[in-house]
Amino acid sequence: MTEIIKAENVRKTFDNRIWVLDGIDLVVQKGDFVSIVGASGSGKSTLLTILGGMDKPTQGKVFFDGEDITEMKEDKLAKLRRTKLGFVFQFFNLAPYLTVEENILLPIILNGRKQKDVQERLDYLLKYLAIEEYRKSMPSKISGGEQQRVAIARALIYEPAVIFLDEPTGNLDSKSSQNIMELLLKINKEMDATIVQVTHSAENAAYGNRIIKISDGKIEPQ
C-alpha cells in the first residue's frame, strides 16, 4: 500500500499549558478506512482538523502525499482542501439558499471552474447517491439523511484523495446512520476512496479497516 497521510510528533495546545494532542504519530495508507475514536475532549476532532489542513499543529509535521502541509502557504493549502480533500461534518453545512445541485457544485465554483466541466461527474454522483430527484430542491425540503448525502456528494465532486468525516451520523436517527455508514463503506470500496472518520460510536468505528483510539491527546497502544 502507498502512504497518503503521515503525522510526525504532532502536538497541539491552545493555551500553552494543556496539550490537546501530545506526540501523535500516524500513517494513513491509500484505500484505508480509518476510524479515530475517543471520549469527548480526547483530541480526536482536533487531530482531524490538523490532518485535513484546517488547523496547524503547535509542534510536529503533517505530510500529504509526501508534501509537508504544515509549511504550506494558506492559498496553496486552501486549494489543496478544495481539490484533493473532501470534508463531511455532523451538521451537513449546506447553504440553505442554494439548491442541492448548487451545494454540490460549491467547491467547483470556489475554484473558478464552470459547471459544464464537471457535469458528467455531478450527474453520476446524484444518481450514485440516490438524490437525483432532489437536485433542484432546497436543503430544508429534504430529510437529514438526504442532506448528508448531498454533503457527501459535495465532498466527492473533485474526486478527492482523502475524505474526512467528523461525526458524520451524529445528527441522524439510527436507521439513517446505518444507511450513511454503509454508503461510505461502499464509496471506500468501489471508488477506492481513502476515508478518515472521527466518531464516538463503536458501531460506526467498526466500518473502518483500522481503529485508532485516542485518550488525553495520545494514541493508545494497539
Side-chain angles (χ1 to χ4, degrees), residues 94 98-109 118 121-122 125-126 129 131 135 149-158:
L94 301 180
L98 297 179
T99 65
V100 162
E101 182 176 84
E102 290 166 339
N103 266 285
I104 295 169
L105 289 169
L106 266 180
I108 302 299
I109 296 166
V118 294
R121 175 72 173 171
L122 173 64
L125 289 173
L126 286 165
L129 297 171
I131 50 175
R135 66 189 305 157
R149 287 171 184 260
V150 176
I152 292 168
R154 181 181 57 194
L156 289 170
I157 191 68
Y158 251 114

Side-chain angles (χ1 to χ4, degrees), residues 63-131:
F63 298 88
F64 171 76
D65 213 10
E67 188 170 8
D68 184 0
I69 67 172
T70 57
E71 297 297 329
M72 274 186 187
K73 292 184 177 179
E74 183 53 40
D75 58 342
K76 186 177 180 181
L77 189 56
K79 185 175 181 181
L80 175 72
R81 289 194 299 262
R82 289 196 303 268
T83 60
K84 300 292 184 181
L85 309 176
F87 298 90
V88 179
F89 301 97
Q90 176 178 347
F91 294 104
F92 320 137
N93 288 5
L94 301 180
Y97 49 85
L98 297 179
T99 65
V100 162
E101 182 176 84
E102 290 166 339
N103 266 285
I104 295 169
L105 289 169
L106 266 180
I108 302 299
I109 296 166
L110 291 172
N111 212 42
R113 293 180 63 187
K114 296 180 180 179
Q115 179 174 337
K116 65 180 183 180
D117 296 334
V118 294
Q119 187 64 52
E120 186 176 338
R121 175 72 173 171
L122 173 64
D123 292 341
Y124 169 75
L125 289 173
L126 286 165
K127 186 174 182 179
Y128 186 87
L129 297 171
I131 50 175

Side-chain angles (χ1 to χ4, degrees), residues 7-112:
E8 292 183 348
N9 193 32
V10 167
R11 306 183 80 209
K12 181 69 176 181
T13 180
F14 295 104
D15 59 7
N16 296 315
R17 293 186 302 111
I18 298 172
W19 291 100
V20 180
L21 296 176
D22 192 7
I24 298 290
D25 293 305
L26 174 64
V27 172
V28 178
Q29 306 285 354
K30 287 184 178 178
D32 266 350
F33 190 145
V34 177
S35 297
I36 300 173
V37 300
S40 233
S42 62
K44 61 185 186 298
S45 290
T46 301
L47 177 59
L48 190 79
T49 61
I50 289 174
L51 294 178
M54 293 184 288
D55 194 9
K56 290 185 181 292
T58 307
Q59 296 176 13
K61 294 184 178 293
V62 175
F63 298 88
F64 171 76
D65 213 10
E67 188 170 8
D68 184 0
I69 67 172
T70 57
E71 297 297 329
M72 274 186 187
K73 292 184 177 179
E74 183 53 40
D75 58 342
K76 186 177 180 181
L77 189 56
K79 185 175 181 181
L80 175 72
R81 289 194 299 262
R82 289 196 303 268
T83 60
K84 300 292 184 181
L85 309 176
F87 298 90
V88 179
F89 301 97
Q90 176 178 347
F91 294 104
F92 320 137
N93 288 5
L94 301 180
Y97 49 85
L98 297 179
T99 65
V100 162
E101 182 176 84
E102 290 166 339
N103 266 285
I104 295 169
L105 289 169
L106 266 180
I108 302 299
I109 296 166
L110 291 172
N111 212 42

Side-chain angles (χ1 to χ4, degrees), residues 91-197:
F91 294 104
F92 320 137
N93 288 5
L94 301 180
Y97 49 85
L98 297 179
T99 65
V100 162
E101 182 176 84
E102 290 166 339
N103 266 285
I104 295 169
L105 289 169
L106 266 180
I108 302 299
I109 296 166
L110 291 172
N111 212 42
R113 293 180 63 187
K114 296 180 180 179
Q115 179 174 337
K116 65 180 183 180
D117 296 334
V118 294
Q119 187 64 52
E120 186 176 338
R121 175 72 173 171
L122 173 64
D123 292 341
Y124 169 75
L125 289 173
L126 286 165
K127 186 174 182 179
Y128 186 87
L129 297 171
I131 50 175
E132 192 173 19
E133 65 182 288
Y134 308 116
R135 66 189 305 157
K136 299 299 183 183
S137 300
M138 306 304 285
S140 61
K141 301 300 182 182
I142 61 177
S143 71
E146 288 154 357
Q147 288 185 57
Q148 194 62 297
R149 287 171 184 260
V150 176
I152 292 168
R154 181 181 57 194
L156 289 170
I157 191 68
Y158 251 114
E159 300 183 65
V162 183
I163 305 168
F164 293 97
L165 313 169
D166 191 356
E167 300 285 6
T169 68
N171 206 32
L172 302 175
D173 60 59
S174 58
K175 181 61 178 176
S176 296
S177 295
Q178 183 181 350
N179 289 340
I180 289 295
M181 290 310 303
E182 288 175 356
L183 174 61
L184 290 166
L185 182 60
K186 182 181 175 183
I187 289 167
N188 171 245
K189 300 296 185 184
E190 295 183 357
M191 296 187 181
D192 197 29
T194 304
I195 294 178
V196 179
Q197 76 160 333

